Amino acid sequence: MAEEAILGFLQNNDEIAHSGYFAAEHNLDHEELKNVIKSLQAFRYIEAKVLKREFYGLTDEGKKYAAEGSPEFHFFSAVPEEGTISMDDLQRILDPFVFDVGSKQAPKKKWVAMGQQVSRTVQHVEDKVKEMLLQIQQGLELDQESLKSLKYRKLIILTEKWSGYSEVKKGANYAPERRSLATDLTRENLQNWQELDFKEYNVNAKGQPVDSGHLHPLLKVRKQFKDIFCQMGFEEMPTNNFVESSFWNFDALFQPQQHPARDSHDTFFLKAPSTTRELPEDYVARVKQVHESGGFGSRGYNCEWKREEANKNLLRTHTTAVSSRMLYELAKGPFTPKKYFSIDRVFRNEAVDKTHLAEFHQIEGVVCDRGLTLGDLIGVLQEFFSRLGMSELRFKPAYNPYTEPSMEIFSYHAGLEKWVEIGNSGMFRPEMLRPMGLPEDVRVIAWGLSLERPTMILYECDNIRELFGHKVDLKKVKENPICRIGIESI
């Protein structure tokens, strides 16, 4: 019905001026009419312009102004045509609300001069606010500037949005009746192509988006860090055991059994299985010895070392537990210099906030060779971080139970215009290395940092819970750009 009405009307007329009026005159549903116009327009049977309009109603305050006039007009009217009047007198003769609003709006419109005494700056004014409100009550349209001023003063409220078409005219393919178009290139259609009208194909139209997986920002940054380590000749350590024993996580690192980090408030201990099944007994004996009595130039901790504490299973608190296993295996055979790295998940019993989670990713680098010094550590760190685009580094002395000396690493952040801590580093202590069986002249340098912090900076994320966890926005995962760490600096 709607299509026949439109095409039939245009056969004898130049245009349909307004789709709303046309629908009313021909007893048609306007929404259906709009859909038909859109369809005919797509096939170029007709041309049309989109019409959009918003309808407003008056708020209670707006209705009062429309009936009685605006406060600024009443304020102006209360000021004598000649001479002045005091603010106190105006406040006494005017309604408190009228005085409050009028004393702000009238000077803004330059109707009056304000001070201890008030006087008129013009002799006659028009209450345009009242006029505009009356026009809206009558269903008339106002310009955008007028609507903006009334909305700002909360005198009107949007009640309806309307859309339609105007200037509906004949198009390039106009016909009194829509032709049936062939849409498939079948054998029969190709044989009779001269007798058929084929639908035009838009070869530039985009197809349906292809469903595919997308890399999470953490994985993109992880890949770039991994590439940098590999470029520097490092090999990746196996980090697939989230569950670790307290022995490899703490004791093998010469971390005392009384250390606060080993408390349940900081570490997740397992209920089942609560203890490890086996440990290398000869190595355990040497670790026990160095903890209780010292050795290799150390006095140890001079306290009882308990096997039951070392046997407790936990979720690893750092990937250094993996490093301790790798160094122990390295010590079993003839010594060979090694460079290891790992990037994987660790767990801490921490309060969750915008910068901390109970699980996160740790990046760790380890270099094992003869005669290494603190200078070698600084040199490796400068090379590593320069590949990340961080050439300005500073180092600050720090304390770690299993490294000595230890250093915090700082880099200058040009955007923040300050030095920012980016990692921790040090040389593994003899009390950790010698019980493993490594030669006396072998030294191990190591450093670590989180994966989340650089990712949050790169992808401008200020809440870690929006980067990792159930609050992640999947749209952002699909649309985030490539990671350029290690690309722009090469």
Side-chain angles (χ1 to χ4, degrees):
M1 289 288 292
E3 184 173 305
E4 293 174 4
I6 294 168
L7 295 176
F9 184 87
L10 290 178
Q11 189 173 8
N12 302 312
N13 297 274
D14 292 334
E15 69 173 24
I16 298 171
H18 194 284
S19 63
Y21 300 149
F22 184 82
E25 291 169 3
H26 292 78
N27 196 27
L28 298 171
D29 179 71
H30 187 246
E31 289 300 317
E32 181 187 352
L33 184 72
K34 286 196 301 180
N35 292 333
V36 172
I37 290 175
K38 188 175 181 180
S39 174
L40 291 172
Q41 192 177 21
F43 288 96
R44 296 191 290 176
Y45 280 86
I46 61 172
E47 296 176 355
K49 290 184 178 179
V50 176
L51 268 182
K52 290 185 178 180
R53 188 179 171 190
E54 295 178 340
F55 291 91
Y56 291 89
L58 305 189
T59 62
D60 291 341
E61 189 176 345
K63 291 175 183 176
K64 184 177 181 180
Y65 291 5
E68 302 173 4
S70 65
E72 55 264 37
F73 183 78
H74 287 293
F75 187 91
F76 174 83
S77 301
V79 178
E81 294 183 9
E82 301 292 338
T84 62
I85 186 172
S86 70
M87 288 288 286
D88 292 339
D89 290 340
L90 279 173
Q91 193 168 9
R92 188 170 56 255
I93 62 177
L94 291 174
D95 178 82
F97 178 79
V98 172
F99 176 82
D100 182 55
V101 178
S103 62
K104 297 172 183 175
Q105 295 293 331
K108 189 183 293 185
K109 295 182 177 180
K110 299 182 179 179
W111 291 355
V112 296
M114 298 285 288
Q116 291 295 327
Q117 298 290 319
V118 183
S119 61
R120 293 187 179 186
T121 56
V122 293
Q123 288 305 312
H124 301 285
V125 296
E126 295 180 7
D127 193 355
K128 291 189 176 180
V129 170
K130 179 179 179 179
E131 292 176 7
M132 290 188 293
L133 293 171
L134 290 173
Q135 288 176 2
I136 286 179
Q137 276 187 328
Q138 296 165 11
L140 301 177
E141 290 189 63
L142 297 181
D143 60 82
Q144 290 299 316
E145 192 64 33
S146 299
L147 287 172
K148 184 179 178 181
S149 65
L150 294 176
K151 284 191 283 187
Y152 180 77
R153 294 181 66 176
K154 299 181 179 179
L155 301 178
I156 58 174
I157 186 170
L158 180 66
T159 57
E160 182 186 354
K161 286 187 176 182
W162 183 92
S163 65
Y165 291 91
S166 66
E167 299 181 31
V168 181
K169 302 177 182 179
K170 295 177 182 177
N173 296 335
Y174 172 78
E177 187 177 339
R178 191 196 291 252
R179 298 185 298 275
S180 177
L181 299 178
T183 58
D184 298 320
L185 297 178
T186 63
R187 180 173 179 271
E188 291 76 13
N189 286 349
L190 290 173
Q191 286 177 334
N192 303 305
W193 66 272
Q194 291 178 316
E195 302 171 7
L196 298 172
D197 289 327
F198 284 89
K199 179 183 177 181
E200 293 183 2
Y201 282 85
N202 182 2
V203 295
N204 295 317
K206 294 182 179 179
Q208 288 292 326
V210 178
D211 289 331
S212 62
H214 296 80
L215 284 176
H216 189 280
L218 283 171
L219 294 179
K220 292 185 177 183
V221 178
R222 183 187 187 279
K223 174 64 166 57
Q224 293 306 121
F225 272 106
K226 183 175 179 178
D227 288 347
I228 290 171
F229 274 117
C230 292
Q231 291 163 13
M232 294 177 64
F234 284 69
E235 60 181 276
E236 189 169 10
M237 295 184 281
T239 56
N240 55 339
N241 52 323
F242 289 172
V243 175
E244 190 57 271
S245 69
S246 293
F247 177 80
W248 291 109
N249 196 82
F250 295 125
D251 296 282
L253 303 180
F254 195 59
Q255 191 158 322
Q257 293 189 336
Q258 298 77 21
H259 196 280
R262 300 180 70 152
D263 189 82
S264 60
H265 293 292
D266 296 294
T267 302
F268 291 109
F269 288 94
L270 268 65
K271 287 185 177 180
S274 60
T275 58
T276 188
R277 293 180 179 178
E278 57 181 20
L279 292 172
E281 295 300 331
D282 57 339
Y283 179 40
V284 170
R286 295 194 295 271
V287 170
K288 173 182 171 68
Q289 172 68 28
V290 78
H291 272 254
E292 291 183 340
S293 307
F296 317 106
S298 170
R299 293 181 300 175
Y301 293 114
N302 292 317
C303 59
E304 182 184 2
W305 184 86
K306 298 178 181 179
R307 177 63 180 265
E308 54 269 25
E309 283 293 326
N311 285 345
K312 289 180 179 178
N313 281 334
L314 48 78
L315 293 178
R316 67 181 179 211
T317 61
H318 48 195
T319 53
T320 315
V322 181
S323 301
S324 65
R325 284 181 176 271
M326 294 297 292
L327 292 173
Y328 173 71
E329 291 298 322
L330 181 64
K332 288 182 177 180
F335 177 73
T336 304
K338 288 288 184 179
K339 292 190 286 187
Y340 296 123
F341 81 93
S342 64
I343 308 173
D344 211 337
R345 198 173 301 183
V346 297
F347 307 86
R348 306 271 177 89
N349 193 0
E350 293 185 346
V352 175
D353 57 33
K354 65 186 297 184
T355 58
H356 295 86
L357 290 177
E359 54 181 308
F360 58 95
H361 294 78
Q362 182 178 335
I363 303 167
E364 184 165 339
V366 177
V367 180
C368 181
D369 203 350
R370 299 182 186 274
L372 292 176
T373 66
L374 188 63
D376 294 306
L377 173 59
I378 292 173
V380 172
L381 291 175
Q382 288 175 335
E383 173 65 19
F384 175 77
F385 284 103
S386 68
R387 291 172 181 255
L388 303 179
M390 304 178 189
S391 55
E392 294 185 66
L393 297 182
R394 283 181 178 175
F395 305 97
K396 177 183 175 183
Y399 169 75
N400 289 313
Y402 45 90
T403 59
E404 180 62 38
S406 307
M407 301 185 301
E408 292 175 347
I409 311 164
F410 292 81
S411 175
Y412 185 75
H413 193 295
L416 300 176
E417 297 183 348
K418 66 177 183 179
W419 291 88
V420 178
E421 183 182 352
I422 56 173
N424 215 321
S425 66
M427 300 184 68
F428 285 150
R429 298 174 67 109
E431 297 97 321
M432 171 184 167
L433 300 179
R434 299 292 89 80
M436 292 178 176
L438 289 169
E440 289 189 8
D441 60 342
V442 169
R443 303 287 185 270
V444 180
I445 58 177
W447 70 97
L449 62 153
S450 77
L451 180 62
E452 280 76 7
R453 180 172 291 184
T455 305
M456 290 174 68
I457 295 172
L458 282 167
Y459 289 95
E460 298 179 350
C461 177
D462 60 0
N463 191 331
I464 193 170
R465 290 169 290 194
E466 296 174 2
L467 178 70
F468 188 74
H470 66 283
K471 292 186 178 181
V472 171
D473 186 346
L474 293 180
K475 183 180 178 183
K476 287 185 178 180
V477 173
K478 292 179 180 179
E479 297 177 353
N480 64 68
I482 65 170
C483 170
R484 304 193 65 84
I485 282 183
I487 298 177
E488 296 176 340
S489 58
I490 292 178

